[in-house]
Amino acid sequence: MEELLSPKQVARAMGVSESSLKRWCDRGLIPTIRTAGGHRKLPVAAVLSFLRQNCKQLVRPEVLGLPPVCGTGEITFERASDAILAALRVGDADAARRTIFDLYLAGNSAVKLCDNVLANVFHQIGSGWQCGELQVYQERRACEIVLRLLHELNLALPATPPNAPLAIGGTLAGDCYQIPTAMVELVLREQGWQAQSFGSNLPLATWQAALLEQRPQLMWLSVSYIADVELFVEQFQQLAELAQQHKIPLIIGGRELPTEIRKRLTFTAYYDNFTQMLNFTSTLLHR
Ligand code: B12
């Protein structure tokens, strides 16, 4: 996606006249910036926000670097999940992208896309793999496609305010799951955090260094795989103690945190989906 667009490009994409578009810009409905030469430019994320807030559809989304819209924006989460699953099964990245951006442009939040669509798709991929219907390569390819999509959604979000509080997170050593932590980054960014996922499989020592050097206002850990429970609890607790000493709230989630394990851990909050997590993090954000 090109980051800055000319009024002409945006007008073509929306199917309106350039003068209408400029009027909207003059009224401040779409924030613009001026180049050194005095030309008006529109950030893609600002254009997408305007479209989503005003329920306007794109006539030629490809002009903005988006996939051609496949439906009317009235697609349900269930149908979208089926469409994405079918696309991922055969490695059709464009079809998966079309469905996700259809939903996004229809005004659905990134958190809804993660909790209600993509997580569901991956649960089905997991079951498909378990019963031998899907090959490992299909699962891995699906992960690659969705990681790229999450990155694109990140680029489509409005810019984070410069004074936004910092949130960092990822997974501990041995846990190679990339998607849940990439989703936490996306949904916290959408909420207004300056969120940075450090990815998966990071050793304890580097998390400790990150806490001390970055001094975030929030830390998250996503836990999808634990090889050795005793080692995990020991390492987790060391990190949790450090977070507590520096008054950094630690939020956890992920499929591998049943109550028996959680009872042995010290943390600020646990949630089993991102929507609930955001209810809590919004209170931290507005403190
Ligand atoms: C992709 C995948 C992998 C990939 C991941 C690759 C990558 N690049 O990320 C890799 C290759 C690592 C993998 C490996 C294995 N996997 Co796997 N994997 C999956 C799969 C299909 C999707 C995982 C995923 O990303 N889901 C999407 C996320 C978003 O969903 P979620 O985890 O449920 O997250 C939700 C909540 O938990 C919560 N949440 C998550 N994180 C956080 C964080 C915070 C802060 C909060 C608040 C909330 C929160 O909110 C999310 C959204 O609602 C799952 C199926 C499934 N059910 O998820 C199997 C699955 C987890 N894997 C499974 C297995 C068996 C394995 C292996 C053991 C296979 C093997 N024999 O080698 C290995 C484990 C080895 C290891 N060291 O990790 C099983 C686990 C079975 C069990 N123990 O219960 C599953 C369930 C598949 C199945 N149905 O059998 N896997």
Side-chain angles (χ1 to χ4, degrees), residues 122-133:
F122 275 106
H123 296 167
Q124 294 189 56
I125 289 180
S127 311
W129 167 80
Q130 200 175 18
C131 61
E133 253 176 37

Side-chain angles (χ1 to χ4, degrees), residues 136-183:
V136 170
Y137 82 85
Q138 290 172 298
E139 179 206 86
R140 301 290 158 82
R141 182 173 64 189
C143 292
E144 294 297 318
I145 292 173
V146 169
L147 283 169
R148 289 198 294 271
L149 272 178
L150 293 174
H151 177 68
E152 273 196 73
L153 282 170
N154 239 311
L155 293 178
L157 291 180
T160 315
N163 55 353
L166 176 66
I168 67 169
T171 79
L172 280 169
D175 183 334
C176 302
Y177 286 75
Q178 296 171 285
I179 292 168
T181 187
M183 288 182 176

